[in-house]
Each structure stands twice: as structure tokens, then as C-alpha cells.
Amino acid sequence: MALETLSANKSFGGVLTKYKFKSAALGGLDTQFNLFLPANASQGKVPVLFYLAGLTCTEDNGTQKGGFLRDAADEGISIIFPDTSPRGAGIEGENDDWDFGTGAGFYLNATNPKYAKHYNMATHITMELPQVIEAAGIPIDFTRQSIFGHSMGGHGALTLYLAALSNNPKTKQFRSASAFSPVANPTKCPWGQKAFKGYLQGGVEEAVSIYDATEMISKIKDNVHILIDYGTGDNFYKQGQLLPENFLKAARDAGHDEVQVRVRPQDGYDHSYYFISTFGPDHVHFNANFLKA
Amino acid sequence: MALETLSANKSFGGVLTKYKFKSAALGGLDTQFNLFLPANASQGKVPVLFYLAGLTCTEDNGTQKGGFLRDAADEGISIIFPDTSPRGAGIEGENDDWDFGTGAGFYLNATNPKYAKHYNMATHITMELPQVIEAAGIPIDFTRQSIFGHSMGGHGALTLYLAALSNNPKTKQFRSASAFSPVANPTKCPWGQKAFKGYLQGGVEEAVSIYDATEMISKIKDNVHILIDYGTGDNFYKQGQLLPENFLKAARDAGHDEVQVRVRPQDGYDHSYYFISTFGPDHVHFNANFLKA
């Protein structure tokens, strides 16, 4: 699992490096990720924020269009940008749809035998990337992790954060989570239902308690630290793919107040990186507060 | 020359709009540009900064990867992002090279009859875009213009700024200029020589006094306001395509001190937008100081 360096660009005093390695979690396929290390990483280990991108994206969208590096450099934290799915698994139909298969891994571990060997983005992000990066001697302090994401990646950030809180205490690995226009109640929307029917042997039913942020927040008693922004001009929001109000209601019903869970409608913004980059500074600083506490 | 709106995205409280129109300066071809208007444009006309992109780029590179909108919004200024050449002129060989023809207009007015009808990016930027935008009633104050750019676009920014100072006083239209890794002495480098031999009837000789920033700054007596950054790890710099030291020497020899002309080598940075976005805030604020004076 040696890391191969594909490129390195100095940015905001730090360095953005693109790596490649053979991923066990993704069935032995090559995968790529970007890693931003701020200047202060030369003086010791730094906290880390994961950024999970949305449908059709790669490890490059957040680095090129998110505008996150500026604030990460200011805060002295690193950011890991994983890919959004395995690539080249060779599964029939994998490349037919933009919202399923390649570029659309939904940050879960597949149980449908057709996908179970390769589509394990949850394990890839929560276990494999930290192990591979630590083994390479890269100065990241994995006792200080937070996670954020956009759309499908917002779903990923919320569910991986909540899973780590509610399941095995050993994997309680994220201090906070935030999301731009997340798919917040995926068992109730077309994107999520299609993904779960495809990837999971038990279909949508299997996803309810483990891959649906709205269902998960309703069961959690711990204090949580969550920030969500979505645009009221977002067509996917209007089409009912995101359902942030469902998440907010479930959070409030479970006793999570506005200090624990903030969900902010942003007037007239859409689903694009022009929206993300506008509120990116807030999200980086929100998570950095917990990473540096 | 009616403007057609292709898209609009809210960003940083303002709106980024992509427009299309039939360009007289470009021989009647359709051209596109992006325009960022900050929130305060709803209260009255705002100053404007032109961003000229580099070889192979379009009107989208600066908007997506530059990170400029955040600071433009803070300063309350607009930014116009033109394309880098005419597209679809149908001239033989126009699409054969990445450093000549399509995507490589070099911000000049061609005199070689083969290109003279279409390749007039200088007129497109300094005359046509202001006229078209004013005619459309867009609230930009064209008595307050500055210009910046990257690489070939840095050449464009410096030469259009200096031409407006040294030529017809009526066209003294830019208050300041800045550049990231500009092609600063193009009559002395391969990119520039190739462009001038192709676009100009008189070849490189014709370009010396009107399209070479180093030659132009050596003749100018007026006070100038110029900021240049380049990366010492930039391969094009190492290959002698940029020659910023030549520009700096010519400026100093002509009596322009470090208040008038600042040229900053940036240790280890390359030619990419990861470099540009790092110093973009400095450049937006530098130009905004003159725009708002």
C-alpha cells in the first residue's frame, strides 16, 4: 500500500499533494486522493478535516473550486480529499448512470455481492486512508479528525460522523461534521433509494439505521456538533433530493438544540461550487474550532 | 450585440453571470464572458477589474479556480472574465497548437491578413466589452477600471495598461495593473515570438513598442501602479518564457521605484491556480485601492 506521489503544488504556504495507492478496501483497485498540509505541519502533527465530494466528482473538485485551502492554512489544519467511488471495477452497468456506480459510491459499504468487493467507501475513508497516511509518516494527528462534504458527500460526512458516535466507541473518530446541501434523508429521496437498492442486499430497509442521517440523528443522545448550509435556489433541494428540513426536525425532536445542530437556508444560492466556496470559510472555521479544542 | 444570459450563480452575496454575444471585434463570432457583480451593485455603479487568463484557458478558469470573488465581494468591486481568443474562426491551423490560435489570442490586434478579421482581443477587451456592458445597463462605472491576469493574461494586463498610459490619452483607462507569472518580455521568449510572427504582418519587430511590457515600461515617464508575483518553482519561468527580471530592470532603469513597480519572487510556487489563488487576495486588494481612491 505504498503511496505514489503524482503531483505537488505549493499553495497558501503549505503543499497540496496528489497520491495514488492500491486500495484493499476498494478491492485492490488504484485510488487517488489529495492532501493539503499547512506550513505548520513541518513543526509537528496537524489536525485533519476530510472533504467528501458529491455525485460525478473526483478528488479534485474540492481542491480546485472549494476555496478551502486558504482557511485551512490560516487555521493550521490539513484536509484530505478522497475520490467519490472506486474506479475501474469492471462491474456491468457501473458507468451507465451519473448517480450510481462510478463517481457515486455514496460513502457506504456495499452488501450486494455484485458491488461488495469494490464499493466500500466507508471503510476506505474511516479506516484505510488514516492507516495508509500514518504508515507513510505524514504528520497528521488522527486523534483530531472532523469531516465535511457536499451533496452526496454531505450525506457521507453526516452519516460517518453519526455512525462513529452511535456504534463502536472505538470508531468515535470525528469531533464535528458539516455539510453543504447534503442528501440528508436518503431513504426518502430518489438518489438515495436508487443507491441503497443497488448497493445493499437488503435495499432501502438495510440503510435506515446506518446510512440515513435523519434516521440516525433521531436516535442519538450524545451531544453533536453539526453545521449545515443549503441554498433555497438549489434545484435538487426543490426536487426533494436533499430534505434538510427532515433532518432539522428529527434533530430537534431528539433534543439537539441550535448549539448542537445548525441548519441554515441560504437565500437564492444554488448547488454549485459558487455556493460552496461562499460558505466554505464558515465550515472550515466551524470544524477547526473542535479540531483545535 | 444584445447580451444573452447563459447562467447565473449567486456567490459571496453577489451574482456571477455568464453572457454570450456576437462580437464585432472578433469578426462577428459568438464570444462568452463571465461577470461578477457584488451585492452593492444593487445600490449603484461599482468599479471593475478585468481578469485575463492564460494559454488554453477560457472565461471560466478564473471564476472557478482563482478564488477572486471572495475579495471582490469584500471590496465591493466587479470582475469581468473575458475569453482568451476568438473561437470558431475557421482559420487553417488555428486549432493545431496549444500556444497559438484558439485559446491563445495574446490580447493583441492581428495585422496579418489571415488573422486580422478575428484576432482582435485588445479591442474586444478595451473597447467592445465596456460598450456592450454599458449598453446593457449593467451597473459598472467604467471610469474606474483596473486589470490583472495570469501568464499570457499577465502580458495582456501589463501591455493594455501601459498602452493606455503611453498612447492616446482618451484610452488611459486603467488605474493599475497586476500579474501572476506574466509573459513579461514576449519579444524575447518563444511563446511571444511565435505569437507575433503569426499574428502580426511585421512579425516580432512590430510588437516591440506596442505589445512588449518590458520595452514599454522603459519608455514610460508617468507614475505607474504595478504588482507582479511569480513562483521560483514555475517551470515556464525556468524555461525563460516569463522573464520578470527583465521587466523589473527596465522599470528601475526608467526610474520607476518599488512603490510604482513591485515584482515579487515567491519561493517554491509553480504556474498553477494553486499559486494564483494564494496571492489573489493581494492582487484584488492592490487594484481595489486604486479603483476606490
Side-chain angles (χ1 to χ4, degrees), chain A residues 9-10 13 267 269-270 278, chain B residues 9-10 12-13 267 269-270 278:
Chain A
N9 300 87
K10 191 166 175 182
D267 185 48
Y269 285 89
D270 60 28
T278 300
Chain B
N9 300 87
K10 191 167 177 183
F12 293 99
D267 186 48
Y269 285 89
D270 60 29
T278 300

Side-chain angles (χ1 to χ4, degrees), chain B:
Chain B
M1 296 207 298
L3 288 180
E4 180 185 345
T5 300
L6 299 181
S7 63
N9 300 87
K10 191 167 177 183
S11 196
F12 293 99
V15 181
L16 180 76
T17 307
K18 185 190 282 281
Y19 293 105
K20 177 173 147 179
F21 72 101
K22 284 201 190 308
S23 163
L26 305 180
L29 295 172
D30 281 345
T31 190
Q32 298 183 177
F33 68 95
N34 284 305
L35 167 62
F36 175 71
L37 278 183
N40 51 302
S42 63
Q43 273 100 58
K45 288 187 175 186
V46 293
V48 62
L49 184 55
F50 281 81
Y51 176 74
L52 308 187
L55 289 167
T56 76
C57 289
T58 71
E59 71 278 11
D60 290 335
N61 298 69
T63 61
Q64 294 180 346
K65 300 180 177 179
F68 307 136
L69 306 190
R70 179 172 173 180
D71 301 281
D74 283 349
E75 293 280 10
I77 63 175
S78 64
I79 307 184
I80 295 172
F81 300 86
D83 202 349
T84 57
S85 76
R87 293 185 187 268
I91 300 168
E92 190 200 343
E94 177 184 46
N95 299 320
D96 293 355
D97 295 352
W98 66 276
D99 56 1
F100 185 80
T102 303
F106 271 84
Y107 303 105
L108 48 71
N109 289 333
T111 54
N112 177 344
K114 185 175 172 186
Y115 298 99
K117 181 179 174 193
H118 300 97
Y119 280 75
N120 299 304
M121 290 300 291
T123 296
H124 173 61
I125 287 159
T126 59
M127 296 184 56
E128 184 173 58
L129 281 173
Q131 287 167 0
V132 168
I133 290 168
E134 280 213 316
I138 293 168
I140 289 180
D141 176 4
F142 283 102
T143 70
R144 295 173 180 269
Q145 298 184 57
S146 287
I147 190 164
F148 73 147
H150 172 233
S151 195
M152 174 184 74
H155 147 75
L158 295 173
T159 55
L160 295 177
Y161 169 68
L162 294 172
L165 284 175
S166 57
N167 301 343
N168 187 340
K170 280 193 217 161
T171 64
K172 189 184 280 194
Q173 70 186 109
F174 301 110
R175 297 183 172 209
S176 58
S178 72
F180 310 99
S181 37
V183 182
N185 192 11
T187 62
K188 297 287 197 297
C189 80
W191 281 342
Q193 290 167 350
K194 179 175 177 176
F196 298 145
K197 282 177 194 164
Y199 293 128
L200 303 178
Q201 201 154 26
V204 174
E205 193 57 37
E206 185 179 335
V208 171
S209 63
I210 53 175
Y211 296 130
D212 185 306
T214 295
E215 297 287 343
M216 294 165 83
I217 192 76
S218 72
K219 304 284 191 301
I220 282 183
K221 303 292 176 215
D222 311 62
N223 275 349
V224 297
H225 308 297
I226 293 174
L227 170 65
I228 293 174
D229 283 307
Y230 66 96
T232 63
D234 181 331
N235 283 327
F236 297 123
Y237 166 67
K238 295 178 190 171
Q239 291 163 16
Q241 296 282 16
L242 310 183
L243 305 170
E245 293 94 342
N246 293 7
F247 181 83
L248 178 61
K249 181 174 188 309
R252 292 288 181 270
D253 288 350
H256 303 291
D257 64 12
E258 65 274 12
V259 174
Q260 290 189 45
V261 174
R262 267 179 285 166
V263 178
R264 310 188 300 191
Q266 302 291 359
D267 186 48
Y269 285 89
D270 60 29
H271 203 70
S272 72
Y273 272 84
Y274 295 116
F275 157 66
I276 297 172
S277 58
T278 300
F279 298 98
D282 280 6
H283 285 240
V284 173
H285 296 305
F286 169 81
N287 287 295
N289 283 341
F290 297 101
L291 289 171
K292 295 162 75 176

